[in-house]
Amino acid sequence: MKVAVFSAKRYDRTMLNELNAAHGHALTFQEARLEPETVALANGYPVVSVFVNDQLDEPVLKALAAGGTRLVATRSTGFNQIDLRAAARLGIRVVRVVNYSPHSVAEFTVGLLLALNRHIHRAYGRTRDGNFELDGLMGFDLHGRTVGVIGTGKIGRVFARIMAGFGCVLLGYDIDRNPDFEALGGRYVPLEELARESDVISLHCPLTEATRHIVNADFLAGTKPGLLLINTSRGGLLDTKAAVAALKSRHLGGLGIDVYEQEASLFYRDHSSDIIDDDLIQRLISFPNVLLTGHQAFFTREAFGTICATTLESITAFERGEALVNEVRAPST
Ligand code: NAI
């Protein structure tokens, strides 16, 4: 099938080309993000593959449908960038990558937490500069501390299991209780209680209308002073302005984020020679107790290989008229 692959970086080309030998699709790579300005590049492609920061709102989907696109394959688990209702109306089917290594994201989350708590990122900068001072680098033992997990799905549970290994007390909040989380010793509690009791909170639920700004000023006001907050899920879960206010007031002890509300115009590109217009991210970066990475938690050989393989398998199944096991549909209202 003719496939237009958007947001294609060198590593996407390499992995997809290698795995495509078994599928034989005609892949055209576009470095550009899919958005109104670039959607014409998809003209004549029955399949379009996208990533987390491509824009698939109704106007873009209409243009895709008009150009003959019938399948959108996102190389991600999250699909909040796609207006599923509009896609369904326009006869465009959507597939995602439901299952790839949840370990990739969970392990990265632990990495962010450890670096933030023990100031490893700052120590790295100091020692390279010949500064071996410890002042300002004190952290706390995670052993015995309470870790709140919001969203105890695949990634949240792997994260919880690792934290159980550290000897942490686990609290969970989810709309669905999962017995595996409870088997780890985790206890489901209301969101307010999780906020109040946790020393560390990590976000692992999807971004939906219900979860947008699930961590906002009210939530933060109900948390323990000194809380470490980690978000490797989606930027929109956190009201970033509220987080900045809580950092400025010294209530929030640290923030580790791999995702950011306005990341679409920044992430996956080199802006080191640009004046960045986004004052909020600049403010975040200026805090010594904020650690920000550019949506890389998924980026391990295992996870990335599975993402590319699953995407190609879905496209092949679509071409053959087979069932799309990774199809995602608009929720019925
Ligand atoms: P999952 O579907 O296995 O788990 C999500 C959990 O969130 C489920 O248990 C679900 O019941 C829960 N949930 C849904 N709505 C909720 C609500 N309103 N309140 C509380 N809990 C709610 O998904 P998985 O694979 O664990 O991924 C979680 C998220 O991680 C994805 O949606 C995606 O946004 C993010 N992600 C980030 C990556 C990165 O590179 N930073 C890579 C992959 C995923």
Side-chain angles (χ1 to χ4, degrees):
M1 292 217 97
K2 280 178 69 187
V3 185
V5 183
F6 282 84
S7 295
K9 298 288 183 189
R10 193 163 48 85
Y11 43 82
D12 292 292
R13 289 169 196 250
T14 308
M15 185 68 85
L16 284 168
N17 276 333
E18 190 186 308
L19 296 171
N20 189 40
H23 294 269
H25 298 300
L27 307 179
T28 303
F29 295 99
Q30 304 292 351
E31 173 107 28
R33 209 161 75 86
L34 177 62
E35 54 190 345
E37 293 74 20
T38 59
V39 68
L41 296 169
N43 225 324
Y45 286 85
V47 182
V48 163
S49 177
V50 298
F51 197 46
V52 290
N53 289 325
D54 290 294
Q55 183 183 331
L56 291 105
D57 53 13
E58 186 158 17
V60 169
L61 287 163
K62 272 188 176 156
L64 285 180
T69 298
R70 289 173 291 124
L71 179 74
V72 166
T74 183
R75 307 188 297 283
S76 60
T77 288
F79 49 86
N80 52 285
Q81 79 279 34
I82 306 169
D83 182 340
L84 290 178
R85 288 200 176 89
R89 274 197 304 276
L90 292 159
I92 296 178
R93 297 174 76 183
V94 176
V95 286
R96 62 173 178 137
V97 184
V98 179
N99 274 316
Y100 64 88
S101 167
H103 305 281
S104 62
V105 183
E107 289 171 11
F108 189 85
T109 306
V110 177
L112 272 185
L113 169 58
L114 292 178
L116 189 66
N117 178 27
R118 306 300 296 273
H119 310 280
I120 296 170
H121 55 304
R122 299 186 62 212
Y124 173 79
R126 278 191 194 184
T127 53
R128 284 172 69 88
D129 212 25
N131 176 359
F132 302 97
E133 262 287 356
L134 296 187
D135 230 12
L137 302 186
M138 192 180 283
F140 58 81
D141 282 9
L142 283 165
H143 182 88
R145 295 286 184 147
T146 300
V147 175
V149 185
I150 300 183
T152 56
K154 291 183 285 298
I155 296 170
R157 289 203 305 281
V158 175
F159 171 74
R161 194 182 320 133
I162 299 171
M163 298 321 295
F166 274 83
C168 296
V169 176
L170 297 173
L171 298 181
Y173 173 75
D174 200 305
I175 48 172
D176 278 333
R177 281 168 182 244
N178 188 299
D180 292 348
F181 178 72
E182 292 176 310
L184 290 169
R187 188 163 60 85
Y188 284 103
V189 292
L191 194 57
E192 301 70 37
E193 187 177 339
L194 181 144
R196 196 172 58 240
E197 299 299 328
S198 299
D199 301 291
V200 172
I201 293 178
S202 192
L203 304 179
H204 297 289
C205 57
L207 178 61
T208 63
E209 269 144 48
T211 60
R212 184 172 298 281
H213 289 186
I214 192 167
V215 174
N216 54 24
D218 283 348
F219 178 97
L220 288 166
T223 58
K224 270 191 192 177
L227 169 78
L228 297 187
L229 176 65
I230 313 288
N231 185 10
T232 55
S233 193
R234 283 294 179 269
L237 298 176
L238 172 67
D239 178 345
T240 318
K241 284 191 183 140
V244 166
L247 286 159
K248 280 172 80 175
S249 71
R250 279 75 170 166
H251 180 78
L252 183 57
L255 177 67
I257 51 175
D258 185 48
V259 287
Y260 168 60
E261 271 185 295
Q262 314 299 336
E263 70 177 54
S265 58
L266 287 170
F267 283 14
Y268 302 121
R269 268 165 269 158
D270 179 3
H271 292 285
S272 55
S273 304
D274 302 340
I275 309 272
I276 293 177
D277 279 332
D278 184 329
D279 291 352
L280 201 52
I281 201 165
Q282 294 298 73
R283 185 66 181 104
L284 278 179
I285 291 167
S286 75
F287 288 104
N289 52 348
V290 171
L291 183 48
L292 185 149
T293 51
H295 207 142
Q296 67 171 88
F298 70 98
F299 204 42
T300 64
R301 254 190 298 283
E302 291 78 4
F304 191 60
T306 309
I307 287 170
C308 292
T310 306
T311 302
L312 290 167
E313 283 158 17
S314 293
I315 295 169
T316 300
F318 179 74
E319 183 176 33
R320 294 179 178 160
E322 294 169 1
L324 297 180
V325 288
N326 287 303
E327 183 160 18
V328 42
R329 292 193 175 84
S332 47
T333 44

